[in-house]
Amino acid sequence: MQVSIVGSGYVGTTIAACFADLGHEVVNIDIDEDIVETINSGTPPIHEDGLPELVGKHAGQDGTGRLRATTDYDSIFATDATFLCLPTPQADDGSIDLSVMETGATQLGKTLEATEDWHTVVVKSTVIPGTTEDVITPILEEESEKTAGEHFGVGMNPEFLREGTAVHDFLNPDKIVLGADDDRALADMHDIFEPLVTKSDAPVVEPDTRTAEMIKYANNSFLAAKVSLINDIGNICKEYGIDAYEVADAIGLDDRISEQFLRSGVGWGGSCFGKDVAAISAAAREREYDPAMLRAAVEVNDRQPNRLLSLMDDHVDVSGERVAVLGLAFKPGTDDIRNSRAIPVIEGLQERNADIVAYDPVAAENMRERYPNISYASNPAAVLDGAAAALIVTDWEEITELDAEFDAMTTPVVIDGRRAIDRRDGIVYEGLTW
Ligand code: UDX
C-alpha cells in the first residue's frame, strides 16, 4: 500500500520506518524542513533503538526508497491512507490540547478537496473519546466539502509504544486496534496492517473510533494505576520493615496480576502516563464523573519523591552539604526527562539548601537546560566524591554497578528509589519500599 504519515515525532517516525519495512511505500510529512532533510539522508530525527537501521535501509542513499520525507501535504495524493501522528499536549488545566491535530486535519481536508480518489484518514495520536468522530471528521468534511464514509474514510489506530523500545513494540504488538466508523476505512486499515498481523499473529480488535480512543487511555491509566498501587502497598511494607519486592514476586505469580509493572519505587514519569491520566480525568469531570482511582494514582505517584527525601532527612541534614542525584531520565534507555521523578527530587533538595550534583549517562544536558545552576558530573564516581547523601532516581546500569565508589562519600547515606543496588556494610542504606 501507499501510506502517508503526518508528523515525524517518536511515533510518526517509528511507524513510518516500520511500515516501510513491512513493504509499504511511505511518505512522512512534517513542517520542519530540517527533520525532512535528516530522514531523507537516512538518519532518524529521534533516538530509538532499531530506528537508525530501518531509516537507513529505506530512506538512505542506497536504501530501498520505500521511505521518503517531505513538507508537501499534496504528497498524500499518491497514497491510499494518511496517519495523523501529531502532538496532543496537556493544557494548563490538565485537559487535552487538540490545536495541533485540528490544524493538521484542516490542512489534510483542504488537500482532500482537490482529489476525486478515495482516501482513508487514520488518527494515530492519543485523543480523548469522541475526538475522531466529533472534531476531526467534521473538520475534514468542512475543508474538503465531502462526506465521510462516502468520499473518504476515517479510522482511529492507537499506539502502545514505549520510549526506548518503540520499534520492538510496533513490530511485536500484543494487540492491533483498528477503530473505524465506516467499513471501507476498516478494510483499508486491514490491508495496511496485514503484513504485521501475518508476521506477529497479534489479535486484531475492531471497535468504533471512540472505543479505540478509550482503549488507549484505559491501557495507560491501568498501567499508571498499577504502578501507583504497588507503590501504595510498598509504602505500607516500608512501615512494617517488609520487602515490597518479595511481596511483589509472590503476587506476580497470580496470572490475574502478572509480574509486569510491580517494581515499586520513586514512581512513574515520562510524557504519556501523566498527560493521558490528566486528559481522561479532565474529560470525565467534564461529564460530571469524578475518577477517584485515577486521582489516587496521581496522588500516590506525587508522594514518592517526597518519601525518598524524607528517608534522607531521617539520616542527614543536607543543608549546605553536597548531595548526589544518581539518574535524571524518567527511565533507563532514554535521554527524556519529561515528568522525570528527578525533577521533584531536585526541587526538594533546593528547598533544603543542598549543594546538588547530578549524574546521568545521557540525560544530563537536557536537565542542565532546566536546572543550569546545579552541578553535573561526567561519571557516577565523581558525583559521589565528598557527598553527604546519594539519591538513586533512575536505575541505569552504570548506577546499579556502583559499590566501592560509595566509600568516597563523607557520610555514606544512600537512599535507593529504584532497587538499583544492594544494602551492604559501610553504607547507611534505605530502600524506598524495601
Ligand atoms: C508508556 C506505556 O508503557 C506505553 O504503552 C504508552 O504507549 C506510552 O506510555 P513509556 O512512558 O515510554 O510507555 O514508559 P514505561 O516503560 O511504560 O514506564 C513508564 C514509567 O513507569 C517510567 O517512569 C518507569 O520507571 C515507571 N515504572 C514502570 C515503574 O515505576 N515501575 C514499573 O514496574 C514499571
Side-chain angles (χ1 to χ4, degrees):
M1 297 274 282
Q2 315 284 330
V3 179
S4 47
I5 312 284
V6 172
S8 305
Y10 102 92
V11 174
T13 311
T14 300
I15 70 168
C18 289
F19 275 145
D21 209 45
L22 290 171
H24 297 307
E25 298 287 330
V26 182
V27 58
N28 196 187
I29 299 166
D30 201 285
I31 55 172
D32 185 322
E33 292 189 5
D34 292 340
I35 287 180
V36 166
E37 193 179 326
T38 301
I39 292 171
N40 288 334
S41 71
T43 306
I46 51 127
H47 172 75
E48 273 295 337
D49 281 355
L51 207 48
E53 294 78 358
L54 291 185
V55 176
K57 178 179 168 188
H58 299 296
Q61 201 64 32
D62 308 323
T64 63
R66 288 209 293 269
L67 171 61
R68 68 180 182 85
T70 177
T71 57
D72 180 9
Y73 264 81
D74 286 354
S75 303
I76 75 156
F77 291 141
T79 64
D80 307 294
T82 296
F83 286 74
L84 278 174
C85 301
L86 293 168
T88 53
Q90 191 173 337
D92 292 345
D93 65 357
S95 63
I96 192 169
D97 174 355
L98 289 172
S99 57
V100 179
M101 279 293 281
E102 289 164 345
T103 304
T106 300
Q107 185 65 46
L108 198 48
K110 286 185 168 50
T111 309
L112 286 176
E113 197 266 335
T115 176
E116 291 311 311
D117 296 341
W118 170 270
H119 196 84
T120 287
V121 176
V122 183
V123 172
K124 188 77 182 174
S125 304
T126 301
V127 290
I128 53 172
T131 300
T132 300
E133 191 176 3
D134 303 332
V135 176
I136 303 300
T137 299
I139 291 174
L140 292 170
E141 289 185 319
E142 184 179 343
E143 296 299 333
S144 66
E145 296 176 4
K146 294 179 175 177
T147 306
E150 190 181 331
H151 303 111
F152 63 88
V154 181
M156 200 278 151
N157 167 235
E159 50 83 14
F160 303 94
L161 308 180
R162 292 166 295 175
E163 275 197 48
T165 56
V167 171
H168 169 272
D169 293 346
F170 180 91
L171 296 174
N172 302 276
D174 52 34
K175 59 183 174 298
I176 294 171
V177 179
L178 303 181
D181 294 330
D182 66 84
D183 291 342
R184 194 164 169 189
L186 179 60
D188 284 348
M189 288 196 284
H190 268 293
D191 289 345
I192 293 165
F193 279 91
E194 187 278 328
L196 181 59
V197 172
T198 304
K199 183 184 166 86
S200 67
D201 197 26
V204 178
V205 176
E206 301 174 350
D208 59 27
T209 56
R210 61 198 313 118
T211 304
E213 291 156 340
M214 189 64 210
I215 288 168
K216 169 64 183 179
Y217 280 100
N219 214 94
N220 259 9
S221 298
F222 206 95
L223 293 172
K226 185 174 183 182
V227 172
S228 285
L229 178 55
I230 196 64
N231 280 338
D232 215 14
I233 289 169
N235 293 338
I236 298 169
C237 289
K238 184 65 178 180
E239 297 308 320
Y240 274 96
I242 293 169
D243 182 349
Y245 277 66
E246 196 173 349
V247 172
D249 288 348
I251 66 172
L253 296 171
D254 182 329
D255 59 14
R256 294 169 300 175
I257 296 172
S258 101
E259 77 284 0
Q260 298 274 347
F261 271 60
L262 289 180
R263 292 187 61 81
S264 55
V266 71
W268 40 261
S271 62
C272 298
F273 280 2
K275 172 173 77 74
D276 293 353
V277 170
I280 197 65
S281 296
R285 282 193 292 272
E286 261 189 28
R287 286 155 184 78
E288 310 297 325
Y289 176 74
D290 171 27
M293 277 291 288
L294 298 187
R295 205 158 22 88
V298 174
E299 184 190 317
V300 169
N301 197 56
D302 287 346
R303 278 181 198 169
Q304 297 307 94
N306 292 325
R307 289 183 63 87
L308 194 78
L309 291 159
S310 297
L311 282 173
M312 175 192 72
D313 292 338
D314 291 348
H315 294 281
V316 58
D317 176 356
V318 296
S319 178
E321 298 290 340
R322 184 182 172 98
V323 175
V325 177
L326 292 166
L328 300 171
F330 84 91
K331 68 173 182 179
T334 178
D335 64 357
D336 194 344
I337 62 165
R338 287 177 290 180
N339 204 22
S340 167
R341 301 295 78 199
I343 291 169
V345 167
I346 290 169
E347 300 275 345
L349 290 171
Q350 289 179 326
E351 286 161 13
R352 290 167 173 78
N353 190 34
D355 169 20
I356 305 166
V357 56
Y359 166 76
D360 188 286
V362 296
E365 288 317 306
N366 288 339
M367 197 61 89
R368 188 193 300 274
E369 286 178 27
R370 187 179 177 115
Y371 297 109
N373 299 325
I374 71 173
S375 308
Y376 295 87
S378 56
N379 64 73
V383 79
L384 291 168
D385 191 12
L391 303 177
I392 299 178
V393 182
T394 314
D395 47 336
W396 287 100
E397 192 175 342
E398 294 86 340
I399 292 167
T400 62
E401 290 169 349
L402 292 172
D403 188 353
E405 294 83 355
F406 292 109
D407 297 336
M409 297 173 69
T410 51
T411 49
V413 171
V414 180
I415 316 296
D416 189 351
R418 291 291 186 198
R419 186 84 166 203
I421 66 166
D422 297 325
R423 56 171 44 90
R424 68 158 169 84
D425 292 341
I427 59 174
V428 176
Y429 178 91
E430 289 273 14
L432 190 54
T433 60
W434 54 91

